[in-house]
Amino acid sequence: MSKKQITGLIIAVILFIVTGVISVFTNAAVTKTFMPDIDNMALSTKEQNTPIENYIAVIPITGTIEAQKEGSVFETSQGYQHQTILDFVDQLMSDSYNQGILLYLDTPGGAVYESDELYLKLEEYKETTGRQVWSYMSHMAASGGYYIAMSSDKIYANRNAITGSIGVIISGVDMSGLYEKLGIKYYSATSGDYKDSSKMNEEQMQILQGMVDETYEQFVEIVSKGRNMSKEDVKKLADGRIYTAAQAKEKNLIDEIAAYEEVTTLMRQELGTDQFYEMEVKEPAFSTLFSQIEKIIPKSEAEVLKDIKEEQKNGRLMYYAEQLQ
């Protein structure tokens, strides 16, 4: 660690420990919820932490859809909670009090694997239980978010929502020029001409394009099934562009435009229960304090380079709206 980083760390620790420790201990047991409060929340059992009367489960799909990162006492798992959501849906399938699911979507999409895994899990839920899944799009539900929404019986969107971006992207970053400027030399020994993607050529690009095309066809098929449209009609809309809520309704990509309160009222009426239960995540003590300290500590050049590479999704196949990043 450089002297600049050490100095920054000392200053950050002094500032935040003095001002933050008392509040951290005071709020250590506070539950962090993903969603706005909903009236008439059902009571929960201590054993299962689920309601003891009929209810609709609210599941947040927020942030970039990707594999879940484990938190610790000093770090919380923020944003999208993939494995937690999958486990929650499994629990709902065996809970007779559950009457349906409302997906609360606020996401630009994410990884192909996780998007498809959750879509399939929700399809399993519907097939196993015969219950309904509804979707509500808040700020955005693009690409992988729209993919997941295809499991829904009804799709509603806020009038200011952005959706669509039906397509696939795989991206990376060529840092060879920067490496050369910094005096960093890269080398590799490979077992084949296509093993090292850092030395990208036209043939390797064609290989990647083939993967993108195959995954794109899967997306088109999912939308075709979810919206009862022909694949040809879907492809006319699936060129990666985003749509406003009004445009999406006109093109049959959603069912209706409505505020969140309207959707919950309609769902109460149709499913016959006033109760909504939100999935919750506990925020570890010290996590907020140390996340703020981390923001102040200056990053080294190596850490900056690492962040740049991670922002480029490391060459993964993505159902992701790049323009909404």
Side-chain angles (χ1 to χ4, degrees):
M1 184 178 291
S2 67
K3 291 183 179 179
K4 184 169 68 172
Q5 289 178 294
I6 294 174
T7 302
L9 176 60
I10 294 173
I11 294 173
V13 169
I14 292 173
L15 287 174
F16 282 92
I17 288 183
V18 170
T19 59
V21 167
I22 295 176
S23 63
V24 168
F25 277 106
T26 302
N27 297 288
V30 173
T31 298
K32 179 182 179 183
T33 61
F34 290 94
M35 295 280 297
D37 290 336
I38 300 176
D39 294 333
N40 303 317
M41 190 69 71
L43 298 174
S44 301
T45 63
K46 292 183 179 179
E47 294 78 15
Q48 296 184 346
N49 195 32
T50 54
I52 55 175
E53 56 184 290
N54 289 347
Y55 68 97
I56 298 164
V58 180
I59 299 181
I61 313 296
T62 59
T64 301
I65 299 163
E66 57 188 350
Q68 185 166 335
K69 298 177 182 178
E70 295 298 327
S72 67
V73 69
F74 300 113
E75 180 183 14
T76 184
S77 296
Q78 298 179 348
Y80 178 71
Q81 305 287 306
H82 184 67
Q83 191 57 51
T84 300
I85 291 173
L86 293 178
D87 293 342
F88 186 56
V89 177
D90 279 331
Q91 180 178 325
L92 295 176
M93 281 192 270
S94 60
D95 186 354
S96 60
Y97 288 116
N98 172 249
Q99 302 300 301
I101 290 175
L102 174 59
L103 302 177
Y104 183 92
L105 294 152
D106 188 3
T107 173
V112 164
Y113 182 92
E114 281 75 21
S115 299
D116 187 56
E117 187 172 37
L118 180 52
Y119 166 81
L120 293 175
K121 178 61 69 176
L122 292 167
E123 287 288 292
E124 179 187 353
Y125 166 87
K126 290 170 58 178
E127 183 177 349
T128 301
T129 66
R131 303 168 198 158
Q132 294 187 37
V133 174
W134 289 25
S135 279
Y136 174 75
M137 300 176 175
S138 56
H139 296 88
M140 69 181 77
S143 208
Y146 187 73
Y147 188 105
I148 291 171
M150 291 302 96
S151 64
S152 302
D153 297 280
K154 295 185 180 181
I155 302 176
Y156 294 86
N158 183 278
R159 66 180 184 177
N160 296 309
I162 297 296
T163 188
S165 190
I166 301 169
V168 189
I169 183 172
I170 184 169
S171 61
V173 57
D174 182 357
M175 304 183 70
S176 58
L178 182 57
Y179 282 176
E180 183 177 350
K181 184 176 181 180
L182 296 175
I184 300 173
K185 294 184 178 180
Y186 171 82
Y187 65 89
S188 65
T190 66
S191 58
D193 294 338
Y194 307 116
K195 183 63 177 176
D196 189 351
S197 60
S198 69
K199 302 173 182 178
M200 189 65 65
N201 56 39
E202 186 60 33
E203 290 181 335
Q204 286 177 306
M205 283 298 297
Q206 290 177 3
I207 292 172
L208 294 181
Q209 188 61 54
M211 296 170 61
V212 167
D213 293 343
E214 181 178 326
T215 312
Y216 170 77
E217 291 295 333
Q218 176 176 294
F219 201 160
V220 169
E221 184 175 349
I222 293 297
V223 176
S224 174
K225 175 184 175 184
R227 299 306 298 166
N228 193 26
M229 299 167 63
S230 69
K231 292 183 181 179
E232 291 73 21
D233 287 340
V234 172
K235 287 184 176 181
K236 293 175 183 177
L237 307 174
D239 56 5
R241 76 181 66 186
I242 55 177
Y243 298 98
T244 65
Q247 292 169 340
K249 185 177 186 306
E250 179 185 356
K251 299 178 185 303
N252 191 36
L253 294 176
I254 64 172
D255 293 306
E256 296 292 342
I257 298 172
Y260 181 73
E261 292 75 15
E262 295 177 85
V263 175
T264 54
T265 298
L266 290 170
M267 204 168 187
R268 284 186 178 107
Q269 294 171 349
E270 181 151 342
L271 301 191
T273 177
D274 288 335
Q275 307 300 339
F276 285 81
Y277 176 74
E278 303 173 34
M279 199 180 75
E280 299 174 342
V281 170
K282 297 291 185 179
E283 182 173 335
F286 297 109
S287 63
T288 301
L289 176 65
F290 279 85
S291 66
Q292 294 300 318
I293 291 176
E294 184 179 19
K295 292 178 182 177
I296 284 184
I297 301 173
K299 293 185 177 182
S300 67
E301 288 82 356
E303 289 171 327
V304 172
L305 292 176
K306 180 181 177 182
D307 289 346
I308 292 173
K309 294 189 73 173
E310 288 180 351
E311 288 175 1
Q312 295 300 316
K313 311 299 179 296
N314 296 319
R316 289 179 295 166
L317 284 165
M318 304 286 287
Y319 292 138
Y320 191 77
E322 195 70 32
Q323 61 267 47
L324 298 179
Q325 185 177 9

